[in-house]
Amino acid sequence: LDNLINKKINILEIGSYSGASAAAFTKYFSDVNIFCFDLNISNFKYKSKNIHVFGLDIKNEKKVKEALNSITKKFNIREFDIIIDDGSHNLDDILIGIKFFFGLLKKNGLFIIEDFKYPNYYEYNNNIKHIFVDKLLKNLVEKKIFPSIIFSESEQDILMNSIKKLETFKGNLVNSDIAIITKN
């Protein structure tokens, strides 16, 4: 993220909890707007003119579109430099996040999925019948269509052709896998 430190950027964070990472980003980047979407904003405790919090469930497409329209009207922002998915880590939420939000990235924008292998490790997070995120990402990079109840073949094709680079990293904890997708 070093190349973005001194640029004006916009971040969308899905799953903010108390807002600690949003607060850290306001200290790290010199000119940043951070938009936080979280189901429960009662835990959010950080305040800044650069942090904008929305209490919503990303599965509620109508509410998400209302929030995005509000962001467009108030801040004239239609695309984001970085989108971070650190939400529930449930398989369906991760997949919905990719499907709905990846297209909102700017060219060369970063889509970061934290703890994307939780559904592999924990049955609780494996809440729908679908291939896991690691296999989905591999298929997208290899341009292989896969069976899906979330993504149509045409949506898969769009995603496949929108990925410039995909990197995965193993964190310090057994279950802390991070994927960073750079958009074409």
Side-chain angles (χ1 to χ4, degrees), residues 117-136:
K117 288 180 82 176
Y118 263 43
N120 300 52
Y121 300 129
Y122 306 109
E123 193 170 321
Y124 171 80
N125 297 98
N126 180 11
N127 61 345
I128 62 169
K129 291 231 180 260
H130 199 281
I131 64 171
F132 290 130
V133 177
D134 55 337
K135 293 203 185 317
L136 176 142

Side-chain angles (χ1 to χ4, degrees), residues 64-80:
V64 170
K65 286 181 178 180
E66 287 172 3
L68 292 170
N69 285 335
S70 172
I71 292 168
T72 298
K73 286 179 185 170
K74 188 170 182 180
F75 300 95
N76 197 29
I77 295 168
R78 296 187 195 303
E79 294 179 309
F80 299 91

